[in-house]
Amino acid sequence: MSSFIETLQGSKTDTSYITSTSFQDIGLSVNITPTSASNKILVRVHLYGYPGAYVGKSRVMRDSTEIGAAPTAGSRPTQALPFSKSPSSDGAMMFSGVEILDSPSTTNQITYKVQTACRASGDEGTYINRSESDRDNVSYDPRTISYITVMEIVA
């Protein structure tokens, strides 16, 4: 039976609009220092956003290493936190979540974070914690908070 040693959470309460085709930090991160190199870290991300041009992509990083990505599949995105929409989703926001059991093998401080990029063509951008239209005069353009939670588990 496993037990949790500590649980830490980071949140992103503001909004972002990412127009770069290169991954950018979005301000959603949490630091943890494992008590043993054999312990595992359970990483949970609840990310809200909207892809302005059909596909947005976000990834989970342990320091500078991407974790939780799917195997390479040609030119398809393989990141752990994709957004994909239909062209007629006015006022919509999407949820993307992931749970990753990581084995960092260290007792040094680790930063887990989320990075986001827009589609490869650079068309439009990816919105975080807001809809694309983000109108204040309607009741269906929400704002949200995104979270990253890490839990150290005794191995």
Side-chain angles (χ1 to χ4, degrees):
M1 180 175 206
S2 297
S3 62
F4 293 100
I5 295 176
E6 66 177 320
T7 301
L8 301 168
Q9 185 174 75
S11 63
K12 177 176 175 56
T13 59
D14 61 347
T15 63
S16 293
Y17 178 54
I18 308 300
T19 57
S20 174
T21 57
S22 299
F23 283 96
Q24 307 291 311
D25 290 349
I26 62 168
L28 182 57
S29 66
V30 65
N31 297 324
I32 189 169
T33 304
T35 59
S36 171
S38 62
N39 289 349
K40 298 190 181 303
I41 306 293
L42 183 62
V43 181
R44 290 182 178 158
V45 177
H46 289 95
L47 182 66
Y48 295 91
Y50 191 75
Y54 308 114
V55 177
K57 51 191 176 182
S58 295
R59 64 185 184 181
V60 182
M61 303 293 289
R62 177 196 340 110
D63 294 327
S64 60
T65 302
E66 182 177 3
I67 61 172
T72 300
S75 62
R76 296 173 190 89
T78 60
Q79 288 72 37
L81 294 161
F83 290 121
S84 183
K85 73 166 181 114
S86 67
S88 58
S89 301
D90 185 43
M93 186 180 303
M94 299 172 170
F95 167 78
S96 187
V98 69
E99 186 171 279
I100 303 166
L101 186 59
D102 190 35
S103 300
S105 302
T106 186
T107 56
N108 295 329
Q109 180 178 284
I110 303 163
T111 299
Y112 287 98
K113 64 183 177 180
V114 175
Q115 294 182 326
T116 299
C118 69
R119 67 190 275 182
S121 66
D123 293 344
E124 298 186 33
T126 300
Y127 303 86
I128 303 297
N129 286 344
R130 56 163 278 200
S131 64
E132 179 178 20
S133 48
D134 198 39
R135 296 164 289 198
D136 194 30
N137 61 344
V138 297
S139 61
Y140 49 85
D141 279 335
R143 290 277 180 101
T144 58
I145 298 173
S146 295
Y147 298 94
I148 184 169
T149 306
V150 294
M151 293 168 265
E152 183 178 3
I153 302 172
V154 175

